[in-house]
Amino acid sequence: MTTPRLTARTRLSSVLLAAATALSAAWALSGSGAAHAAAPQVRTQAPGYYRMMLGDFEITALSDGTATIPLDKLLKRTTPRELERLLGEAYLKPQIETSINAYLINTGSRLVLVDTGAGALFGPTAGGRLLKNIKAAGYKPEDVDLVLLTHIHGDHSGGLSIDGQPAFPNAVVRVDRHDSDFWLNPRNIDRVAQSERHSFAEAAASLGPYQAAGRLLTFEPGAEILPGVKAVAAHGHTPGHSLFEIQSRGERLLIWGDLIHAKDVQFPRPGITIRFDVDDAAAASQRQTAMRSAAREGTLIAAAHIAFPGLGRVRAAGKGFVWIPVNYSRAGLTD
Ligand SMILES: [Zn+2]
């Protein structure tokens, strides 16, 4: 018979269990509870900058933070099913947190900021982190000599001014003539969808202080802005949407602006467009052309809305493309 032995064993287990419980209660009261306060959670993100060298130029990717947008309501030339499948493959849902990136180029003699983030336009929780991150990266807004805009949309030019004052007090602002002619002229308001008309008032508020001070200058498509910094026209997303080609000692970076908004959807299907495109057929064809040439040449790309720092390369895959983020690097940098 085994029953009496089992009973004894069960009794022994209960005694041991009771002892263990008492010990752990004592530990909780004395050791961890009294000697150390619980460490409060910090809940801040890492400083939003990423540095790399490009020949003799120092490039700093700057985060303006993120904005959460409903891709299912914004993307065009697709179906809900296709969208769900493409986003699902990337473990994402249509309500997506999108990076807003800008890029700072120190040529050694000039400090050039490409795009400014949204400033206060998206409210306190979205965007608006650019100035904080410029400082975290070791620069001051007054150090910026030149601001280049890929185009005049709130998330690229909204950070230019704060309460009617230039946020970059020593900078000249330059943008493709076709974009300033379009967005700074309220007569064009009927040429965009109702949902995009707020951009006209935002453009006036952000660029106006520079215009009033004679510090807003335009450039023509393809213009060389500085030695090693050249505009490349990619009109479509907006009438003067421009890329910037940065070159130093044979190394090359192409800043794409808004050539792409939804990485996991528009690399595999470059023909899918977004409601923010003023001319979506032109935007789609610019995207296709740029991706094909980036894949062929292995070009280093910087993109405003690809997950921060938005730096990587493109590879052809089937009828579309895939994004290859840069390898994390400290090459050419000190502490
Ligand atoms: Zn944008």
Side-chain angles (χ1 to χ4, degrees):
M1 298 291 284
T2 55
T3 314
R5 224 189 291 160
L6 258 187
T7 308
R9 212 181 269 170
T10 310
R11 232 179 260 140
L12 180 62
S13 308
S14 308
V15 170
L16 284 174
L17 182 65
T21 308
L23 261 177
S24 71
W27 169 256
L29 278 174
S30 64
S32 62
H36 304 286
Q41 296 178 344
V42 179
R43 297 283 185 108
T44 55
Q45 186 48 280
Y49 71 90
Y50 179 80
R51 195 106 66 200
M52 57 165 282
M53 296 304 292
L54 185 87
D56 290 338
F57 290 2
E58 181 205 73
I59 310 287
T60 307
L62 293 169
S63 173
D64 188 49
T66 61
T68 299
I69 56 171
L71 286 183
D72 50 342
K73 297 192 171 57
L74 295 173
L75 293 178
K76 295 157 70 177
R77 301 178 175 213
T78 182
T79 62
R81 207 164 143 205
E82 181 180 48
L83 200 54
E84 197 179 328
R85 181 178 61 77
L86 291 170
L87 289 170
E89 283 171 8
Y91 297 95
L92 294 171
K93 294 206 160 60
Q95 189 76 10
I96 197 170
E97 192 177 356
T98 298
S99 290
I100 305 172
N101 310 326
Y103 298 91
L104 191 64
I105 302 142
N106 190 336
T107 67
S109 58
R110 304 290 299 277
L111 190 62
V112 182
L113 175 65
V114 176
D115 289 342
T116 68
L121 289 180
F122 293 175
T125 57
R129 269 67 185 165
L130 186 101
L131 291 181
K132 197 174 122 188
N133 285 324
I134 282 185
K135 289 171 195 158
Y139 290 102
K140 297 187 292 296
E142 46 272 43
D143 296 337
V144 176
D145 299 304
L146 175 63
V147 177
L148 298 176
L149 299 177
T150 58
H151 62 298
I152 302 173
H153 263 166
D155 53 326
H156 300 260
S157 53
L160 274 175
S161 297
I162 305 166
D163 298 329
Q165 297 299 318
F168 304 98
N170 300 314
V172 164
V173 177
R174 296 193 66 184
V175 63
D176 185 301
R177 174 173 59 83
H178 299 83
D179 238 47
S180 61
D181 284 357
F182 187 81
W183 296 109
L184 294 176
N185 183 350
R187 280 202 298 264
N188 293 320
I189 204 159
D190 293 335
R191 293 173 60 190
V192 303
Q194 189 79 39
S195 60
E196 306 311 305
R197 292 184 181 168
H198 58 90
S199 294
F200 286 86
E202 290 170 0
S206 304
L207 282 83
Y210 295 85
Q211 197 174 24
R215 293 198 280 120
L216 174 64
L217 303 175
T218 58
F219 57 76
E220 294 300 313
E224 184 175 33
I225 310 282
L226 297 170
V229 180
K230 186 171 170 268
V232 179
H235 300 174
H237 175 59
T238 64
H241 180 254
S242 301
L243 321 181
F244 293 104
E245 184 184 59
I246 317 297
Q247 273 185 296
S248 174
R249 289 194 176 268
E251 294 187 31
R252 182 167 170 254
L253 169 71
L254 192 59
I255 300 179
W256 262 9
D258 272 11
L259 209 58
I260 183 162
H261 293 84
K263 163 179 87 69
D264 302 291
V265 176
Q266 291 172 303
F267 274 113
R269 300 275 184 278
I272 294 176
T273 60
I274 196 158
R275 206 179 65 192
F276 313 134
D277 294 327
V278 174
D279 177 344
D280 62 351
S285 105
Q286 293 288 352
R287 177 162 45 254
Q288 182 82 43
T289 304
M291 286 180 180
R292 203 179 296 129
S293 108
R296 192 177 52 236
E297 292 163 29
T299 316
L300 179 63
I301 301 294
H305 300 304
I306 291 180
F308 184 75
L311 293 164
R313 292 181 171 78
V314 180
R315 187 184 299 287
K319 287 181 183 164
F321 302 89
V322 288
W323 174 250
I324 315 291
V326 288
N327 187 37
Y328 179 79
S329 172
R330 296 177 31 81
L333 306 174
T334 59
D335 279 338

